[in-house]
């Protein structure tokens, strides 16, 4: 079974092979993108450098496209050998297939650790790219460096590291609880020292207690700090250690012990708070069960989901979660698919219906044919997209990183100047300014500022995903929150995308049901969308159809047939005119129907009309409320774009309350209009179905696709995907984006304000070491908790609550 699954999973991911006979070597083709090629001589230089290598069969250079293709013997050369040969002659290789490895770095909780790893690994030859995911403690290294070398470098920095996918190493009591033990001991010694001072105990007894407090509090902090310093990084651990040692040197044992204890407490609380944010993503991953019941060899077997192949049949009993995406082949049940689409009401499933991994079978037994492997299910794709999104950098996060890189060195330099300059010119004594400089060192690390953005973004993304909205990156989260103009495609987005009967008019003074029954009888067997709408309405009214004779179809006009020995026609206005059957009354009613943006189908005989059936692509039931909610949430302009005629567009836009409409547009016209809106209004979101509207989705600042749960294309192309085919998710998506943007601004402003205030207080001598540590700890916890508030935002059916 494993061999069959392995064969099913094979894709064209490996380099393609140029097949030879058994006697000849097999050549592998690989492609590189090379920057800096400008002329034919560049191509000759690269071709010559590569052809000199033993094992290279052929080299093709595309100067215009900046591409190089090489056929080579895989046993003699590697991709890295070829890439390095190109680099040696002065060209930059942008190799998309470069080797990469992912690692989990325990203890990578803030920007200090990221900067240390970046500075250390970034300077090693062969490393082409580093990607950091602070929320998952994940590091991705691209390049020719060996994974063991990455692990060695990271361990030198005092952090534990393992390859992603490797089993978690069992840790002992000290590794798991050591920080808690040392923090408690530090607190106990600090309390004992403080009480001893109040009791008048001699200093010779008090100082060892406070020293023990500093020593216990710094047990994990000082080693990390000195390792960072040896590697040229001034992280918060080092700055705190220097501050505590400096305080002891000038006799301020209580200040140093208080600062070290508070900082140890702060680190414990920060790790706990960060774990809460990380669990928001892990919760998505745990929705799918690890095992599935499969029908094999006439019986049932319980196997791991990764061992289930395509086209196999799985059995899902009431109360169980669906393990894999598939199509129902047997059984009827209600399925709660809120984990995927956010829909609160279970959806009825019967043979032929799609089901998604992670959803819950409510009340019936279902047999499902598997259509996707576990790694390709909609839930897996959502989780992967959220993970990638929260690892991507939002604009505010980029600003914070730039600010922190300048801020810390500047404050450290300022602290040195404060310690030396004033006493040199006779302004105060050395001890006073040295103490103030130590306080500035504590303020030098922007922990609260750096952690404020990823916590807020991951909380916003997770809350949106739980509400059935997939936002694929911090940049889209921020842009969507700042969008004031939204353009909608009409068909399939604001409307259902299929015509339905909205009115039936009889000219004979008889029942309208008779007009509909005769029209449906004429349309028996037709696949035309208008015919299907008429037949569907007749079925809904339980109208019996009459057999027909001599059926004829007139392309572009309509149909005719004998019904009960009477020749009847069903067609458009042009067909009625050509048959001479229209009357002033029918013309008047036709004009009224068309003015409302509806399509008119006439039932008539040779001499006169018998009735009109009005059809329209009806607006979604939630469309008008959605437009209203968007305006209430601050969207200034809502535009509808459609390829339909002016009358239809005008009627729909008036009914829904949109501000503007553009009709009779081709797909390229929609793209041009979206770009015009961006020029006029700034950020623009375009809402479409994710397939037919791909060009406009790509052109907009934020592309939003609807009903993406069953559409792979929408999940790939859209910036924001509404998993359910439900427009009411859109105001929720806007509100969660705006709430996240608001929290980001609050956190950034608060973090910077705290630093500025305490820098000023330190300079004038009003801030002590323990006050600075308490402020830094409080600011870090405040921004984390403020970011975690976003996890409480839920979809209420009208927006967010």
């Amino acid at each position: 079974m494993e061999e069959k699954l392995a064969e099913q999973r094979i894709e064209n991911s490996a380099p393609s092979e140029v097949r030879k006979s058994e006697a000849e070597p097999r050549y592998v083709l690989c492609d590189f993108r090379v920057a800096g090629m400008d002329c034919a001589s560049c191509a000759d230089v690269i071709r010559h450098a590569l052809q000199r290598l033993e094992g290279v069969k052929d080299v093709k250079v595309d100067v215009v496209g900046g591409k190089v293709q090489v056929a080579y013997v895989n046993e003699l050369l590697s991709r890295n050998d070829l890439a390095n040969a190109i680099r040696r002659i002065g060209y930059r290789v942008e190799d998309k297939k470069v080797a990469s490895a992912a690692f989990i770095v325990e203890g990578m909780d803030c920007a200090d650790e990221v900067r240390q790893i970046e500075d250390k690994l970034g300077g090693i030859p062969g490393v082409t790219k580093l990607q950091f995911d602070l929320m998952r403690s994940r590091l991705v290294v691209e390049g020719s460096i060996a994974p063991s070398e990455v692990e060695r470098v990271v361990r030198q920095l005092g952090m534990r590291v393992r390859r992603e996918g490797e089993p978690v190493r069992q840790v002992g009591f000290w590794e798991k609880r050591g920080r808690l033990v040392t923090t408690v001991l530090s607190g106990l010694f600090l309390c004992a020292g403080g009480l001893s001072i109040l009791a008048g105990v001699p200093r010779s007894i008090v100082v060892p207690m406070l020293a023990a407090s500093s020593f216990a509090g710094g047990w994990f902090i000082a080693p990390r700090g000195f390792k960072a310093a040896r590697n040229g990084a001034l992280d918060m651990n080092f700055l705190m250690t220097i501050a505590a040692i400096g305080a002891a040197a000038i006799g301020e044992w209580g200040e140093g012990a208080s600062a070290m204890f508070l900082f140890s407490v702060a680190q414990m609380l920060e790790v706990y708070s960060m774990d809460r944010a990380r669990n928001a993503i892990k919760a998505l991953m745990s929705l799918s069960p690890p095992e599935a019941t499969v029908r094999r060899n006439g019986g049932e077997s319980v196997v791991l989901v990764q061992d289930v192949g395509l086209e196999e049949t799985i059995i899902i009993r009431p109360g169980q979660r669906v393990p894999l995406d598939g199509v129902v082949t047997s059984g009827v049940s209600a399925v709660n698919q809120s984990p995927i689409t956010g829909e609160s009401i279970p959806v009825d499933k019967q043979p032929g219906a799609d089901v998604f991994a992670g959803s819950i079978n409510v009340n019936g037994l279902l047999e499902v044919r598997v259509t996707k492997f576990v790694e390709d299910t909609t839930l897996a794709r959502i989780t992967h997209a959220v993970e990638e999104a929260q690892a991507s950098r939002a604009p505010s996060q980029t600003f914070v990183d730039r600010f922190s890189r300048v801020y810390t060195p500047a404050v450290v330099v300022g602290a040195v100047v404060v310690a030396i300059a004033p006493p040199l010119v006779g302004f105060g004594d050395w001890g006073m300014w040295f103490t103030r400089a130590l306080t500035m060192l504590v303020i030098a690390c922007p922990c609260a500022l750096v952690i404020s953005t990823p916590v807020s973004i991951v909380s916003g993304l997770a809350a949106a995903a739980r509400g059935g909205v997939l936002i694929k990156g911090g940049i889209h989260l921020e842009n969507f929150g700042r969008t004031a103009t939204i353009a909608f495609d009409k068909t399939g987005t604001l409307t259902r995308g299929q015509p339905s009967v909205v009115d039936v008019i009889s000219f004979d003074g008889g029942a309208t049901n008779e007009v509909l029954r005769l029209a449906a009888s004429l349309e028996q067997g037709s696949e035309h969308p208008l015919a299907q709408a008429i037949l569907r309405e007749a079925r809904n009214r339980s109208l019996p159809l009459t057999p027909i004779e001599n059926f004829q179809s007139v392309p572009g006009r309509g149909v005719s047939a004998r019904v009960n020995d009477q020749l009847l026609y069903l067609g458009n206005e042009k067909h009625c005119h050509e048959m001479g059957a229209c009357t002033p009354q029918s013309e008047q009613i036709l004009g009224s129907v068309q003015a409302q943006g509806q399509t008119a189908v006439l039932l008539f005989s040779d001499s006169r009309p018998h009735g009109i059936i009005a059809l329209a692509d009806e607006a979604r039931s939630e469309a008008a409320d959605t437009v209203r909610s968007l305006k209430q949430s601050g969207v200034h302009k809502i535009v509808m774009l459609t390829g339909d005629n002016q009358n239809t567009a005008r009627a729909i836009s008036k009914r829904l309350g949109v501000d503007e409409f553009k009709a009779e547009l081709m797909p390229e016209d929609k793209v041009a209009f979206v770009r015009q809106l961006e020029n006029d209004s700034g950020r623009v979101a375009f809402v479409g179905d994710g397939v037919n509207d791909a060009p406009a989705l790509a052109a907009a600042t934020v592309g939003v696709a609807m009903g993406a749960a069953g559409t792979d294309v929408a999940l790939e192309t859209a910036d924001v995907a509404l998993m359910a085919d439900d427009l009411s998710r859109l105001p929720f998506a806007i509100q969660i984006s705006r709430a996240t943007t608001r929290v980001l601004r609050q956190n950034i402003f608060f973090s910077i304000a705290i630093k500025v205030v305490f820098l000023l207080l330190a300079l004038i001598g009003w801030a002590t070491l323990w006050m600075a540590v308490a402020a830094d700890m409080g600011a870090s916890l405040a921004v984390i908790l403020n970011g975690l508030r976003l996890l409480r935002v839920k979809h209420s059916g009208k927006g967010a609550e």
Side-chain angles (χ1 to χ4, degrees):
M1 190 66 200
E2 287 86 358
E3 292 178 2
K4 182 180 177 182
L5 292 178
E7 289 174 6
Q8 286 181 319
R9 283 182 165 89
I10 289 175
E11 296 178 346
N12 297 325
S13 57
S16 57
E17 294 182 342
V18 181
R19 301 197 176 276
K20 299 283 182 179
S21 67
E22 290 300 317
E24 295 182 80
R26 298 204 305 181
Y27 295 101
V28 175
L29 288 178
C30 68
D31 297 286
F32 299 96
R33 187 169 291 278
V34 179
M37 293 192 300
D38 300 313
C39 60
S41 63
C42 298
D44 290 337
V45 171
I46 292 173
R47 192 179 294 110
H48 179 69
L50 290 171
Q51 286 177 337
R52 291 175 58 191
L53 300 175
E54 183 183 1
V56 172
K57 173 70 165 57
D58 188 33
V59 179
K60 294 179 181 177
V61 182
D62 177 3
V63 175
V64 176
K67 298 176 183 177
V68 175
Q69 185 181 75
V70 187
Y72 67 101
V73 180
N74 201 28
E75 289 78 11
L76 299 178
L77 292 168
S78 68
R79 287 185 62 87
N80 283 335
D81 294 330
L82 300 173
N84 288 333
I86 299 172
R87 291 189 184 101
R88 279 196 297 270
I89 55 176
Y91 294 91
R92 189 171 74 254
V93 178
E94 300 170 351
D95 189 0
K96 291 184 179 178
K97 294 185 180 178
V98 70
S100 67
F103 303 85
I104 302 300
V105 182
E106 298 175 37
M108 189 175 72
D109 294 312
C110 76
D112 281 334
E113 288 87 8
V114 169
R115 196 169 297 123
Q116 290 175 46
I117 296 171
E118 195 171 29
D119 292 343
K120 196 70 175 175
L121 283 176
I124 297 177
V127 174
T128 57
K129 188 176 183 181
L130 297 172
Q131 291 179 295
F132 296 92
D133 182 351
L134 202 61
M135 296 308 302
R136 289 190 292 158
S137 300
R138 187 172 184 261
L139 164 67
V140 178
V141 182
E142 294 184 1
S144 56
I145 186 172
S148 58
E149 178 65 10
V150 174
E151 293 175 352
R152 185 187 67 79
V153 170
V154 174
R155 289 192 184 107
Q156 280 184 345
L157 298 172
M159 290 172 257
R160 292 195 300 271
V161 61
R162 59 181 170 85
R163 288 288 296 274
E164 187 176 54
E166 288 183 356
V168 180
R169 183 175 60 88
Q170 292 295 321
V171 295
F173 173 81
W174 185 249
E175 285 184 271
K176 188 181 292 184
R177 302 290 182 213
R179 190 178 292 274
L180 174 62
V181 171
T182 56
T183 302
V184 170
L185 285 174
S186 177
L188 291 174
F189 281 124
L190 181 62
C191 289
L195 292 173
S196 298
I197 291 173
L198 294 176
V201 174
R203 183 176 174 82
S204 59
I205 297 176
V206 173
V207 168
M209 293 182 184
L210 297 177
S213 174
S214 296
F215 186 77
W219 182 266
F220 290 97
I221 296 167
R224 287 273 301 267
F226 285 122
K227 284 182 179 178
R230 280 202 305 272
N231 288 282
L234 300 178
D235 75 338
M236 190 62 183
N237 295 290
F238 179 71
L239 296 176
M240 274 302 311
T241 303
I242 293 301
I245 292 172
I250 60 174
E252 295 291 344
W253 290 93
E255 283 285 316
S258 300
M260 195 60 84
F261 167 69
L262 288 174
F263 185 65
S264 184
V265 171
Q267 286 199 328
M268 285 183 57
L269 293 176
E270 190 174 275
V271 169
Y272 170 75
S273 300
M274 287 289 288
D275 284 343
R276 276 198 62 194
R278 288 171 181 144
N279 288 337
I281 297 297
K282 291 178 182 176
L284 288 175
M285 301 169 68
S286 63
L287 289 173
S288 181
E291 296 178 329
T293 303
V294 186
R295 190 179 296 287
R296 287 179 182 171
N297 303 320
E300 296 181 8
S301 303
V302 177
V303 300
L304 296 174
V305 288
Q306 53 263 42
D307 294 333
V308 180
L310 299 182
E311 303 300 321
E312 287 200 271
T313 298
I314 57 176
I315 299 166
I316 307 155
R317 292 182 168 79
Q320 291 183 338
R321 285 189 182 270
V322 178
L324 295 160
D325 285 7
V327 176
V328 176
T329 57
S330 175
V332 176
S333 180
V335 174
N336 178 1
Q337 51 191 34
S338 60
I340 309 299
T341 65
E343 297 167 288
S344 57
I345 300 174
V347 179
D348 291 333
K349 301 290 182 179
Q350 53 193 1
D354 292 325
V355 292
F356 305 114
S359 50
I360 303 166
N361 184 19
V362 177
N363 55 13
L365 186 142
L366 293 176
E367 293 192 9
V368 173
R369 174 173 52 84
V370 176
T371 58
K372 290 183 180 178
F373 289 115
V374 62
E375 63 267 24
D376 297 324
T377 65
T378 300
L379 178 63
R381 292 161 69 89
I382 291 171
T383 304
H384 180 65
V386 172
E387 289 172 343
E388 285 191 337
Q390 59 94 15
S392 66
R393 311 191 80 72
S396 59
Q397 196 166 353
T398 304
F399 158 76
V400 165
D401 288 347
R402 287 201 306 264
F403 179 87
S404 62
R405 280 194 172 272
V406 174
Y407 171 81
T408 300
V411 175
V412 170
V413 170
V416 174
V417 172
V418 165
I420 297 173
L424 277 180
V425 297
F427 188 69
D429 61 74
W430 288 91
M432 177 183 75
W433 287 107
F434 186 68
T435 303
R436 294 180 184 182
L438 292 178
T439 305
M440 287 182 66
L441 284 181
V442 174
I443 301 167
C445 190
C447 284
L449 179 63
V450 172
I451 205 65
S452 64
T453 45
V455 169
S456 302
I457 288 169
V458 76
S459 297
L461 292 171
R466 290 191 315 199
V469 178
L470 178 61
I471 302 176
K472 297 170 66 177
I475 187 170
H476 305 308
L477 189 71
E478 289 195 38
N479 281 336
F480 205 26
R482 294 169 180 165
T483 296
T485 302
I486 298 181
F488 285 91
D489 178 61
K490 179 186 78 70
T491 305
T493 304
L494 289 173
T495 64
R496 290 290 174 191
Q498 62 178 21
S500 58
V501 175
V502 294
D503 196 10
V504 181
I505 301 159
S506 174
F507 293 149
D508 296 331
T512 56
N513 277 357
E514 182 63 12
V515 173
L516 182 63
R517 186 184 71 80
L518 292 172
S521 298
L522 288 170
E523 294 286 20
Q524 290 179 72
S526 174
E527 297 296 328
H528 192 281
L530 296 181
Q532 288 294 306
I534 291 170
L535 287 165
R536 189 165 52 249
E537 184 65 18
R539 283 196 298 270
N540 291 342
R541 299 189 187 188
S542 301
L543 301 178
L545 303 187
T546 303
I548 59 174
E549 297 175 342
N550 301 329
F551 175 84
Q552 287 187 341
S553 175
V554 183
R557 299 293 188 270
V559 298
S560 66
R562 286 195 172 275
V563 183
N564 296 330
D565 292 328
Q566 181 184 14
L567 181 60
L568 292 177
Y569 300 86
L570 186 70
N572 55 26
E573 181 183 9
K574 185 177 289 187
H575 194 24
C576 186
H577 274 296
E578 289 173 352
M579 299 302 296
C582 286
T583 65
Q585 181 189 15
S586 67
E587 292 287 354
Q588 182 180 0
I589 294 175
L590 273 173
S592 173
V593 168
Q594 291 170 349
Q596 297 176 59
Q598 299 167 355
T599 299
V601 177
L602 292 95
L603 179 70
F604 56 95
S605 59
D606 290 326
S607 57
R608 63 188 178 83
H610 296 282
I612 292 178
I613 299 174
L615 301 101
D617 181 10
E618 285 195 293
R620 292 174 179 269
S621 58
E622 75 275 13
D625 287 339
T626 297
V627 170
R628 196 177 307 113
S629 296
L630 289 172
K631 290 182 176 180
Q632 290 171 353
S633 67
V635 176
H636 302 315
K637 187 176 184 179
I638 297 177
V639 184
M640 184 184 77
L641 310 181
T642 179
D644 270 351
N645 60 64
Q646 293 283 341
N647 286 338
T648 301
R650 184 178 294 107
I652 291 288
S653 63
K654 185 177 180 181
R655 198 176 310 150
L656 299 182
V658 302
D659 301 308
E660 185 181 338
F661 71 88
K662 292 291 179 181
E664 301 175 5
L665 297 178
M666 299 295 288
E668 58 269 24
D669 298 328
K670 295 179 183 179
V671 172
F673 188 74
V674 167
R675 287 176 176 157
Q676 180 187 327
L677 280 176
E678 283 188 319
N679 292 333
D680 297 341
S681 310
R683 293 180 180 87
V684 173
F686 179 83
V687 187
D689 61 13
V691 182
N692 299 324
D693 301 314
L697 285 169
T701 313
V702 180
V704 184
M706 287 187 56
T711 310
D712 290 345
V713 175
L715 280 173
E716 294 294 336
T717 59
D719 303 318
V720 176
L722 310 183
M723 303 309 294
D725 196 26
D726 179 8
L727 268 180
S728 72
R729 308 276 155 185
L730 193 60
F732 166 70
I734 286 276
Q735 289 178 29
I736 193 71
S737 299
R738 290 191 171 169
T740 304
T741 302
R742 188 164 56 248
V743 167
L744 281 170
R745 288 173 177 167
Q746 291 169 356
N747 284 350
I748 291 171
F749 174 80
F750 177 71
S751 302
I752 293 177
I754 285 289
K755 293 297 181 185
V756 170
V757 168
F758 271 84
L759 274 176
L760 294 175
L761 291 176
L763 283 173
I764 62 177
W766 288 6
T768 61
L769 273 180
W770 72 265
M771 288 172 59
V773 175
D776 188 75
M777 174 183 71
S780 295
L781 293 178
V783 297
I784 290 172
L785 294 174
N786 193 35
L788 291 176
R789 282 194 308 118
L790 293 166
L791 292 173
R792 299 206 304 263
V793 181
K794 296 179 182 177
H795 179 256
S796 63
K798 297 180 179 179
E801 60 178 16

